[in-house]
Amino acid sequence: MRRAPHENVATVLVEPGRLAELEFALVAHDLWVWPVATAPICVDGPRQAFQVRRRLVESAQGRWDCAAAWVPVWVSFGESWGHRDGLVTWQARKQLYTVLDAFAAHLRYRRGLGGVAPLPLPRDRAS
């Protein structure tokens, strides 16, 4: 049985007032922010956002309680990282974690990537 097409993303909880600033910092490195609640791959985005946030906060067993109302986002890798075949290089991960670490006080995440249905590349949005 074949696995459904997917792409690797980081799942991050972001303080709402810092979301735009984080997005600008990531876009400069061809890393794209997708709020789960409005992601084009979600049938019921607000519900999925609630579930992602709850799962992350509860799994941290009290350490992430400050993030209970934060925005869950997926961060995907743009075309310049050459990962569309499913592989994400260590350089791409290092760049992602460098930017995320710079915002450490305003977000929560676990290192590592998860898989979601393929997200459209930014150039695909216009078509």
Side-chain angles (χ1 to χ4, degrees):
M1 178 186 259
R2 267 208 240 225
R3 180 176 180 178
H6 74 284
E7 76 174 279
N8 293 308
V9 297
T11 304
V12 182
L13 294 175
V14 183
E15 190 177 322
R18 295 304 194 113
L19 183 57
E21 185 181 352
L22 174 66
E23 184 169 8
F24 285 128
L26 288 165
V27 165
H29 300 284
D30 198 21
L31 298 164
W32 300 93
V33 174
W34 301 92
V36 175
T38 58
I41 61 170
C42 294
V43 175
D44 186 352
R47 181 180 175 92
Q48 190 162 356
F50 170 82
Q51 291 170 338
V52 167
R53 181 178 39 252
R54 182 175 177 185
R55 187 181 72 245
L56 291 172
V57 170
E58 287 184 0
S59 69
Q61 300 178 349
R63 295 183 314 276
W64 291 4
D65 284 354
C66 62
W70 290 6
V71 180
V73 301
W74 290 313
V75 181
S76 66
F77 298 86
E79 245 181 358
S80 69
W81 293 108
H83 83 289
R84 297 310 275 188
D85 59 359
L87 301 175
V88 178
T89 65
W90 286 112
Q91 291 99 345
R93 291 175 189 236
K94 181 178 179 184
Q95 188 61 62
L96 168 68
Y97 298 142
T98 298
V99 175
L100 294 179
D101 289 346
F103 287 83
H106 307 287
L107 55 84
R108 299 293 181 270
Y109 74 101
R110 277 192 223 106
R111 289 184 187 256
L113 303 175
V116 298
L119 291 156
L121 291 172
R123 66 172 165 68
D124 292 342
R125 291 181 189 175
S127 37

